[in-house]
Amino acid sequence: MREDFLHYLWKHKKFRLSPLKTEQGETVVVSSVGQHNLNSGPDFFNAQIKIGEQLWAGNVEIHVKSSDWYLHNHEQDPAYDNVILHVVWNHDTEIFRKDNSIIPTLVLKHVVSQETVTGYNTLFSKGNKWINCENDFASVSDFDLSHWLERLYFERLERKSKIIHKLLEETKNDWEAVLFIMLAKNYGLKVNGEAFLSMAQSVEYSVVRKSQTHEIALEALFFGQAGLLEKDIQNSYYQNLVKEYRFLKQKFGLTNQSVLPVQYFRLRPLNFPTIRLSQLAGLYVTHKTLFSKVIEIDNVEEYYELFKVATSEFWKTHYTFDKESKPSAKVLTKSFIDLLLINTVLPLKFCYAKAQGKEVDEEVLRIASEIKSEKNSIVEAFNNLKKLSQSSFQSQALIQLKTEYCDKNKCLTCSIGNKLIVKNIG
């Protein structure tokens, strides 16, 4: 028996309401179960319960066993002084207030049907299932799924907003700097994301701003900070980068000791750190006020144009500094830009609007709905249960569902889980 299931039973009154009696023999009439508390303190606030002839207003605490009260040291916590009813599955000891009066105890297992318990156990008998509700997921209506996925999408945006708020604190509320740091990380994808992030955080954004008037200067800054200018390579482009980086390093007192090394292993050439850093430099050379443009744009096609930036001339015939290759433009693909929109632009747009007291939920949701669904193991597995994900709004919502609900067994706080539990246990 799990405590969160007892919370569910109490919150939704999934037990026989009459007659109810405490273990001390007094009748119980539940007028209000109270407000579910998801933070520290008693489990339900401001309940209204008639016990015997007395109507009480106060808090309710729920445990699997009565003795859990002492296991959790509630007797020493003033926050529990106003508990009017102790709701448990098994009663194994009396619980007392500070004045030595007994706190009334209601035992749920006496008033919950066996069908309810069996239905709950069936849902949570995971076995080899990918998610608890795997066998019933497809039966949930499209209407219910659509509403829940929308809520999950914004939950995921809120989660990403925490990272943005942290970066804002570190940059003293410089939104342009936060955009640069987040873009740098996402230009590195999974393999070089942390390395690119450490590179971006190793230099003040004011240095980027002062260097973006000259392509060679900005490339030298990025390559140098990333530790890519430390070899003895004799071509003129590389030597110019080294010379420019030495100048910038001395002028701005730069250091890259905290920057993580970039990786090439198992990367497609188009994702080599040299190519991605040149593309990032090209973006900032092309757009001097990138943040304002990112905020102003309200459709996907304009974003595709904004980020449609190629490498510098040298990289059209190279993937590394020392080996020439067949000529190619090496412009960001739409699928790569989609990742930038999903992981950087839309979270930042959402967070900035909130900070300005504006509402952009509909706009953000519309743009996310125009971006193709991500392709990963989570999305694929959900689509195998029921074809759901056609856009990034849905794929992001499904990732949130799997990582924050399914993996953590939070079926009782999941809209899908709740509907299936109602279906299973009545």
Side-chain angles (χ1 to χ4, degrees):
M1 182 55 60
R2 291 162 40 126
E3 193 171 295
D4 59 350
F5 180 50
L6 302 185
H7 286 208
Y8 173 85
L9 294 173
W10 177 258
K11 183 176 182 177
H12 298 283
K13 294 184 178 180
K14 294 292 183 179
F15 52 88
R16 189 180 71 247
L17 293 171
S18 179
L20 285 179
K21 285 195 173 185
T22 66
E23 284 298 286
Q24 295 75 34
E26 294 183 292
T27 58
V28 176
V29 178
V30 181
S31 299
S32 170
V33 298
Q35 179 184 353
H36 198 186
N37 173 33
L38 300 178
N39 300 307
S40 59
D43 296 316
F44 287 82
F45 291 147
N46 303 319
Q48 292 186 17
I49 302 169
K50 186 177 182 181
I51 303 174
E53 298 301 317
Q54 179 68 46
L55 179 63
W56 296 85
N59 304 328
V60 172
E61 179 66 5
I62 296 178
H63 287 124
V64 175
K65 298 184 297 183
S66 301
S67 56
D68 289 341
W69 179 279
Y70 295 115
L71 184 65
H72 299 160
N73 298 314
H74 293 335
E75 76 281 5
Q76 301 174 15
D77 190 340
Y80 292 83
D81 288 347
N82 196 30
V83 169
I84 59 174
L85 184 66
H86 194 204
V87 177
V88 301
W89 189 254
N90 290 308
H91 180 57
D92 58 351
T93 189
E94 298 289 4
I95 303 302
F96 295 88
R97 297 189 179 90
K98 287 182 178 179
D99 63 2
N100 289 325
S101 61
I102 292 177
I103 297 178
T105 301
L106 176 66
V107 179
L108 284 183
K109 75 174 180 180
H110 299 328
V111 290
V112 174
S113 71
Q114 185 56 48
E115 289 78 11
T116 297
V117 177
T118 301
Y120 169 79
N121 289 335
T122 299
L123 183 65
F124 279 86
S125 58
K126 190 166 185 177
N128 294 321
K129 291 186 291 184
W130 181 63
I131 56 175
N132 288 332
C133 64
E134 181 175 312
N135 296 333
D136 298 307
F137 187 85
S139 69
V140 180
S141 73
D142 292 342
F143 178 82
D144 289 332
L145 281 171
S146 176
H147 281 270
W148 180 229
L149 290 179
E150 182 175 325
R151 179 176 163 185
L152 288 169
Y153 176 71
F154 284 106
E155 275 189 19
R156 189 154 181 82
L157 282 180
E158 292 287 359
R159 180 171 169 268
K160 290 181 178 181
S161 294
K162 293 178 182 178
I163 300 170
I164 295 172
H165 288 306
K166 184 174 183 293
L167 290 174
L168 283 170
E169 288 181 14
E170 294 172 357
T171 60
K172 297 180 181 178
N173 287 315
D174 188 337
W175 288 92
E176 195 83 59
V178 172
L179 172 62
F180 169 66
I181 292 169
M182 293 182 66
L183 279 176
K185 181 180 188 301
N186 287 302
Y187 263 69
L189 300 174
K190 287 185 178 180
V191 173
N192 283 310
E194 293 303 315
F196 279 25
L197 173 65
S198 64
M199 181 280 293
Q201 292 183 307
S202 72
V203 59
E204 293 288 338
Y205 184 70
S206 60
V207 179
V208 176
R209 189 179 286 113
K210 291 172 183 175
S211 304
Q212 68 183 134
T213 53
H214 301 288
E215 189 172 53
I216 190 71
L218 200 54
E219 284 194 335
L221 178 65
F222 292 172
F223 288 136
Q225 287 302 101
L228 293 172
L229 300 179
E230 298 170 1
K231 293 183 178 180
D232 183 18
I233 298 173
Q234 294 305 312
N235 68 61
S236 59
Y237 170 71
Y238 187 85
Q239 290 300 314
N240 284 338
L241 287 173
V242 171
K243 181 181 178 181
E244 184 67 29
Y245 180 61
R246 285 173 180 167
F247 169 74
L248 293 172
K249 190 174 183 180
Q250 183 175 8
K251 181 178 180 180
F252 297 111
L254 301 175
T255 178
N256 63 359
Q257 292 182 348
S258 63
V259 177
L260 299 173
V262 297
Q263 305 292 327
Y264 289 83
F265 186 61
R266 290 183 178 175
L267 283 177
R268 293 170 57 246
L270 278 175
N271 286 329
F272 277 6
T274 47
I275 303 303
R276 292 309 184 196
L277 287 175
S278 179
Q279 290 168 333
L280 182 63
L283 177 68
Y284 274 88
V285 169
T286 305
H287 303 291
K288 303 298 188 293
T289 55
L290 186 62
F291 176 75
S292 61
K293 293 178 182 179
V294 162
I295 296 302
E296 289 168 6
I297 292 175
D298 64 356
N299 67 82
V300 172
E301 292 304 320
E302 285 189 52
Y303 279 124
Y304 289 151
E305 286 300 314
L306 180 72
F307 287 102
K308 192 178 180 180
V309 177
T311 62
S312 61
E313 196 65 28
F314 177 84
W315 296 107
K316 291 178 181 178
T317 55
H318 292 77
Y319 289 101
T320 61
F321 287 109
D322 53 1
K323 188 175 181 181
E324 197 166 347
S325 62
K326 292 181 180 180
S328 61
K330 299 182 180 69
V331 178
L332 288 186
T333 63
K334 282 188 175 182
S335 60
F336 190 91
I337 296 172
D338 285 344
L339 293 177
L340 298 180
L341 297 179
I342 292 167
N343 295 310
T344 297
V345 172
L346 292 182
L348 202 67
K349 194 179 185 78
F350 173 78
C351 200
Y352 182 73
K354 296 294 184 185
Q356 300 297 309
K358 298 178 181 178
E359 195 66 48
V360 293
D361 289 9
E362 288 187 13
E363 181 182 324
V364 168
L365 190 62
R366 174 178 51 76
I367 295 172
S369 298
E370 294 173 4
I371 300 169
K372 288 183 179 180
S373 171
E374 297 153 275
K375 294 180 180 179
N376 55 50
S377 59
I378 291 176
V379 174
E380 183 180 348
F382 272 117
N383 279 341
N384 286 336
L385 298 177
K386 184 169 186 171
K387 188 65 177 177
L388 283 174
S389 191
Q390 298 178 351
S391 71
S392 70
F393 140 59
Q394 292 152 331
S395 60
Q396 283 285 290
L398 291 173
I399 293 169
Q400 179 74 4
L401 174 60
K402 180 64 166 67
T403 57
E404 298 301 317
Y405 290 85
C406 304
D407 288 351
K408 297 179 180 179
N409 279 322
K410 290 187 175 180
C411 305
L412 296 168
T413 55
C414 168
S415 179
I416 296 169
N418 262 271
K419 291 192 179 298
L420 291 175
I421 287 170
V422 169
K423 172 185 171 183
N424 286 340
I425 70 178

